Amino acid sequence: MARDLTQWQILTELEPVAGQALDRHLSMARDWHPHDYIPWDDGRNFAMLGGTDWEPGQSRLPEVAKAALVTNLLTEDNLPSYHREISANFSPDGAWGTWVGRWTAEEARHSIVLRDYLVVTRGVDPVALENARMAHMTTGFHTPVEQGDAGSSGFLFSIAYVSFQELATRISHRNTASACDDPIADRMLQRVALDENLHMIFYRTMCGAALDLVPDQAMEAIDLIVRNFRMPGAGMPNFRRNGVLMAKHGIYDLRQHLEEVLQPVIRHWNILDRNDFGPRGEQARERLADYLSDLETVQVPRFEEHRDRALARARA
């Protein structure tokens, strides 16, 4: 029976794979500049500099687009917390350290471009946006499970979580682009979504390699992450209200979470057909399979039934 490895041992064993994944990422990533995506001619001074402060009528965005853009921006704003989580669980040296730095730098572009767009176009109240940023960043972010739950390493929890979360964020940005009804926002958000997809590929590759190296430990981490998954913005102001609005209007809902995030990644790792698990891994796989079945047959239909009734009442 394979023994459990410590976090340091896992990182050491997987560093060559991390180096290959980093090289592939750098060969595929394309540099871009946030200022190129902003309609600066639309900007004007606020009252402090002799202009006019924000009023609701200045926004051209639909309500669902406002909710989605604010949610996505505040999520991106919390990058310092994500950096702390990732850097605490990865090595500062070699390919791991280079990846953490590169990933952080690429992610920082997202909050820059989203905020510039919203402020310049007066899409949302900039004072409320700043107050929400202060509250959300002060609260910070923590991986949504206790890392001692499975006796596994923080590294495994981190890469399992971001394998799903980066894909979920990509889908949210992509669907927000359609909801904005603005070609400038569409171009900007499609650019951000491309970054998120490349980040997902790196983390999905590393989590797949961990499954091959320590199948039981990795399977336990994946199972716990999936069953306890929540988006990184869960603690932000108005998250529930905005999340419900986004789900009702197809930005990110439970079926998308199941069919466009969980199922594709789990299929990519071939989790349900692997034969290299020990008893612990088998138990975790069974729990995961039961949870996915419950999502598909009970939770998703129930959510859609409630959503359709709510939309019908709104139309009436």
Side-chain angles (χ1 to χ4, degrees), residues 101-232:
R102 175 72 187 203
W103 172 81
T104 303
E106 290 183 1
E107 285 284 348
R109 289 176 177 150
H110 303 168
S111 58
I112 293 170
V113 75
L114 288 169
R115 176 169 289 99
D116 284 350
Y117 171 82
L118 286 174
V119 172
V120 167
T121 64
R122 298 192 174 224
V124 299
D125 181 353
V127 175
L129 182 65
E130 174 62 8
N131 291 340
R133 185 192 69 82
M134 288 292 294
H136 188 44
M137 290 187 70
T138 300
T139 301
F141 167 82
H142 303 283
T143 303
V145 293
E146 291 297 326
Q147 294 186 0
D149 286 350
S152 191
S153 76
F155 167 76
L156 294 176
F157 282 101
S158 291
I159 59 168
Y161 178 74
V162 288
S163 294
F164 297 109
Q165 178 267 321
E166 292 278 9
L167 182 53
T169 305
R170 168 205 162 195
I171 291 167
S172 180
H173 284 310
R174 183 194 67 196
N175 291 335
T176 300
S178 300
C180 289
D181 193 26
D182 175 11
I184 292 174
D186 183 89
R187 180 170 176 257
M188 170 187 70
L189 289 165
Q190 296 293 353
R191 176 59 261 181
V192 171
L194 285 173
D195 278 4
E196 305 289 15
N197 193 59
L198 288 179
H199 298 162
M200 179 276 294
I201 290 172
F202 178 92
Y203 290 122
R204 187 185 65 185
T205 298
M206 297 316 305
C207 195
L211 269 167
D212 293 336
L213 178 67
V214 284
D216 285 6
Q217 286 176 275
M219 186 63 244
E220 288 178 317
I222 291 166
D223 167 54
L224 276 169
I225 287 295
V226 169
R227 290 188 293 108
N228 294 277
F229 186 87
R230 65 177 187 265
M231 292 295 277

Side-chain angles (χ1 to χ4, degrees), residues 31 72 115 291 294:
D31 280 339
N72 292 348
R115 176 169 289 99
Y291 177 76
D294 183 66

Side-chain angles (χ1 to χ4, degrees), residues 3-16 18 83-93 96 100 143 146-148 150-160 206 210 213-214 217-218 221:
R3 66 185 178 90
D4 286 357
L5 299 183
T6 66
Q7 177 160 303
W8 181 85
Q9 289 171 324
I10 294 171
L11 287 167
T12 301
E13 291 287 337
L14 293 183
E15 181 164 13
H83 176 86
R84 285 196 298 269
E85 287 268 327
I86 292 291
S87 60
N89 290 314
F90 288 23
S91 168
D93 303 318
W96 294 118
V100 170
T143 303
E146 291 297 326
Q147 294 186 0
S152 191
S153 76
F155 167 76
L156 294 176
F157 282 101
S158 291
I159 59 168
M206 297 316 305
L213 178 67
V214 284
Q217 286 176 275

